[in-house]
Every structure is written in structure tokens, then in C-alpha cells.
Amino acid sequence: MNWSAEEKKWAAETAEKLKGKMRAVTERNRDKIPYTAVNGVFNDMGKDDIAWWTNGFWGGMMWQMHALTGEELYKEEAVKTEEKLDVVLMNDKGLDHDNGFKWLPTAVVNYKVTKNPASLNRAMLAAGNLAGRFNLAGHFIRAWNDNGTDDRRGWAIIDCMMNLPLLYWASEETGDPRFGQIARAHADRAQECFVRADGSVNHIVEFDPETGEMVRTYGGQGYGVGSSWTRGQSWGLYGFTLSYIHTKDEKYLNTARRIAHYYIANIPDSGKIPVDFRQPADCPWEDSTAAAIAACGLLELSKYVEERDSMVYRKTAMKLLQTLDAERCSWDPGTDELLEKCTAAYHDKEHEFPIIYGDYYFIEAVMKILEKELFIW
Ligand code: GLY
């Protein structure tokens, strides 16, 4: 990739800031698996909720920092996170469509780097379970498990596109096409039922679990039915790009581009991303994670299109990243979090707080431009 001098300069300078910040943060938080920070101090999901869907991202951050610096500290922490997740592999209720988010940035990347057989075993158990969630009638991977309230047997979510690389990897690793076949079948159905004509995406689609018919959509973590939850747009943009990378099927590239064009058209002049592109105009809530994930998707997408479009995607990614760097990153080495103003869901009580996957994707974006990324997806 021919990164511009400006892109390379920004990435090199940001990497230096990351090195200083992350060493202090990691040394202070050895043995934790963070999700959020309160008053600058990370919590520990190893104690609070080991099965939580975000528990692979700290491991992923550690692997990226290891790739950036070569320092053993980061690898040791990444391996600890991976090992702690073993209890989840023995807990049926802790396993769901997010197996990819948990084991791609931990076991799969460890296996790619070290060929550790225990990591291969973990990754294949996670992939087999993910494949087992495929609904044959509807050609979708079931999202969440039951919560005692909703009948979720027919629910699929756009986020799942980011988990499909666990299945693509399993087929690439074993030579057994079943995993990749399931990933492609889900991607095809998602393309048909999640992506709207204007390039925006639904968060949740409900199918009839017996017949496979599409029943309805839900607003999910966004503002409402028919709205445009920005992190969902980011998952779709990056997720379809990843399905293209793994299959080389142009239809996924075209879908990723449609979502990207919708996204780019809706970015406010400030470069700060709201929680939902269709939230009320007087609502100020932001989600910095959506910005970081979209930047990663755009940078990746820019590698597979002609120069003119590539420039548009890269320029947009740089605007998102430089806005985060200047206005939404806590560079103080005394605070644990990196990104500020992240939001899990529009209708939650709390908004705009640190969330670990925002930090992960910001680091991944920097690593892409530096060309030092450990490619996790
Ligand atoms: N995968 C759930 C979320 O993005 O919040």
C-alpha cells in the first residue's frame, strides 16, 4: 500500500504515543481483562463476567503492542487472557455468535504466531460451536442465547459479520470447507436482509426459526426500527470487507462499498460519530468505538479498490482517526483508557464512557498504516 507521507507521519507519531501510554497501562493492569474504566481505572471482567463478549479485545491489544514493540510483557498478558477464557469454552451459555470476538484476537492469533497446539484446540472448539449456531432453514447464524424474556431463536445481528473470519480461518486451517460454507451462507443472507437500499444496515433481523422466513427488524442498540446504529454500520462495513478478503467474491466488496458510501455521506463535519446516524438532531451522544471500527474497515477496503476511491476511503479514515487522536483520546499515561465517549447502546442509562474495543480498533488502525498489524480477522 502506498500510504501518503502525511498518513505515515501521523501513524509513526501516534505509535510513539501508544508505546508510552500502553506500557504504563499494561504494567498497572497485569492480570486484568478490562471492559471499561471508572475514574481512569480499568475494571476486571475476569472477576466480573468472564463470558462477556468483549473479553478477547484486551488480548488483541496486547498482541498488537507486542508486534509494535517486541516486548514480552504484552505477549505474557495476551496469553493469560487466552487461558482465562478456557472456562467459557466449557460453559454453553457463555458461547454465542461472538466466539470470533473472543478467540480470534486470542487463541487464533497466538496459534498463527507460535503454532501453540493448545491455542489451535481452543480456536477449533470455538469455531465448531459458532458453526453449530447455523440455522439451516434461514441460512443465518443465530445471535444471542435465550434471556428468559425474548424468543431469540430466529435473531441474527449485523455484528456477526465480524465473527465470520473465525469460520473462514477454520476452513483455511483444516482444509474442511464446511466452516467457510456456513460463513458465506450467512454473509449472503445478511447481504439480502440487513443491508438497505441506501447502504444503511439493520442491527437485528428476526427470522422464523422453523421456516427461515424474514419476520421483522429491530432497532437493537440503535435509536429505533429503521434507524442507523453507527457501530452496526461499522461492523457491516468492516465485516463485508473481511468476507471479500477471505472469499474474493466481488459481491461482498460491492456491499462493503455501499455501506462505506452511506457512512461517509453521514459523517458530521466535526468528524465525531453519533450513536445513531438517525438519532434526534438535538441528541449529542457520541460513540468513539464506531469511529475507530469504521476507520479500520475503510483502511482495509482502500486496499481493494482503484486509486481514486482508495483515496476517499483513506482520507475519511484519517479524518476519523485524527479527530479521535486530537479530541477523544486520553494520552495521559496515568489513566487506563485510551478512547473516551464510547457508547454501548442508545437506550442504555449510561452513555459516553471508555470501552475496550474502541481502544483495540484505534490501535489496529495505527498498525495498519504502519504495516505492522498482526492481522486478526
Ligand atoms: N457486538 C455488540 C456491540 O457491538 O455492542
Side-chain angles (χ1 to χ4, degrees):
M1 190 76 199
N2 291 325
W3 302 106
S4 71
E6 188 209 339
E7 288 161 348
K8 282 198 264 194
K9 181 169 179 291
W10 177 79
E13 286 170 0
T14 310
E16 287 311 306
K17 291 197 284 184
L18 279 174
K19 284 181 194 168
K21 166 101 188 179
M22 286 308 298
R23 171 167 261 285
V25 170
T26 306
E27 278 173 349
R28 228 178 9 248
N29 288 285
R30 296 198 83 157
D31 298 323
K32 283 189 188 173
I33 304 180
Y35 168 66
T36 189
V38 178
N39 298 326
V41 178
F42 273 151
N43 73 333
D44 180 12
M45 297 305 276
K47 295 201 175 91
D48 297 346
D49 184 359
I50 190 61
W52 186 236
W53 73 275
T54 65
N55 285 352
F57 288 106
W58 177 246
M61 281 166 68
M62 296 294 100
W63 278 114
Q64 299 296 0
M65 289 309 299
H66 179 65
L68 181 64
T69 64
E71 290 173 23
E72 280 304 296
L73 163 77
Y74 297 117
K75 188 173 164 192
E76 284 166 18
E77 294 309 302
V79 170
K80 278 189 217 165
T81 296
E82 177 184 334
E83 290 173 353
K84 282 187 196 168
L85 290 179
D86 281 357
V87 293
V88 186
L89 279 174
M90 284 302 292
N91 171 10
D92 181 51
K93 293 198 174 7
L95 297 165
D96 58 23
H97 66 285
D98 281 334
N99 287 1
F101 279 133
K102 288 179 203 151
W103 283 284
L104 281 165
T106 53
V108 176
V109 71
N110 189 0
Y111 176 68
K112 283 181 186 166
V113 173
T114 68
K115 294 287 165 222
N116 176 24
S119 298
L120 176 63
N121 183 45
R122 292 176 179 118
M124 286 308 302
L125 287 170
N129 179 276
L130 181 59
R133 300 183 74 83
F134 186 67
N135 182 302
L136 266 178
H139 282 198
F140 65 90
I141 291 172
R142 177 182 171 166
W144 299 292
N145 300 321
D146 292 334
N147 63 355
T149 311
D150 307 301
D151 178 358
R152 294 162 148 184
R153 292 172 303 156
W155 286 21
I157 64 174
I158 190 67
D159 324 26
C160 189
M161 292 301 301
M162 290 297 294
N163 287 277
L164 300 185
L166 180 62
L167 300 177
Y168 293 126
W169 166 81
S171 276
E172 287 153 19
E173 177 60 32
T174 62
D176 183 337
R178 289 176 301 140
F179 304 98
Q181 287 164 353
I182 288 172
R184 289 186 66 135
H186 179 91
D188 289 351
R189 197 78 208 273
Q191 187 174 262
E192 178 193 334
C193 300
F194 281 80
V195 187
R196 306 182 187 119
D198 65 357
S200 67
V201 302
N202 292 302
H203 181 202
I204 302 173
V205 173
E206 180 175 351
F207 300 94
D208 182 318
E210 305 288 351
T211 67
E213 293 296 309
M214 180 172 162
V215 179
R216 63 173 70 86
T217 68
Y218 297 98
Q221 286 163 250
Y223 178 64
V225 176
S227 78
S228 171
W229 176 48
T230 54
R231 194 164 59 256
Q233 314 303 303
S234 303
W235 292 140
L237 192 174
Y238 199 1
F240 277 102
T241 303
L242 292 168
S243 271
Y244 171 70
I245 291 171
H246 286 282
T247 65
K248 292 288 174 265
D249 190 330
E250 293 274 334
K251 70 178 179 235
Y252 301 137
L253 183 68
N254 291 331
T255 300
R257 295 184 64 179
R258 270 175 59 208
I259 302 171
H261 296 171
Y262 168 83
Y263 202 105
I264 292 166
N266 281 279
I267 295 174
D269 290 343
S270 69
K272 292 170 194 139
I273 300 300
V275 180
D276 194 308
F277 283 132
R278 293 174 185 155
Q279 71 195 30
D282 60 356
C283 173
W285 296 332
E286 293 173 27
D287 181 16
S288 298
T289 74
I293 298 159
C296 286
L298 289 166
L299 290 174
E300 212 49 56
L301 191 56
S302 75
K303 298 176 186 168
Y304 302 99
V305 296
E306 64 181 38
E307 183 58 19
R308 198 180 43 192
D309 290 340
S310 180
M311 290 279 290
V312 174
Y313 299 154
R314 280 158 49 190
K315 268 191 148 157
T316 309
M318 285 302 289
K319 175 170 175 142
L320 296 174
L321 293 169
Q322 287 178 315
T323 303
L324 290 174
D325 174 17
E327 298 182 65
R328 293 293 178 257
C329 278
S330 168
W331 288 114
D332 174 0
T335 61
D336 287 345
E337 73 273 18
L338 184 58
L339 257 57
E340 295 167 336
K341 294 203 177 224
C342 307
T343 297
Y346 187 90
H347 292 288
D348 280 357
K349 284 203 188 81
E350 284 184 59
H351 306 90
E352 302 190 323
F353 53 92
I355 306 184
I356 197 70
Y357 46 86
D359 297 10
Y360 171 79
Y361 283 103
F362 183 84
I363 294 173
E364 184 184 295
V366 175
M367 293 294 278
K368 281 185 198 298
I369 303 171
L370 286 178
E371 299 197 342
K372 290 192 171 165
E373 177 190 13
L374 265 176
F375 195 70
I376 278 180
W377 314 108

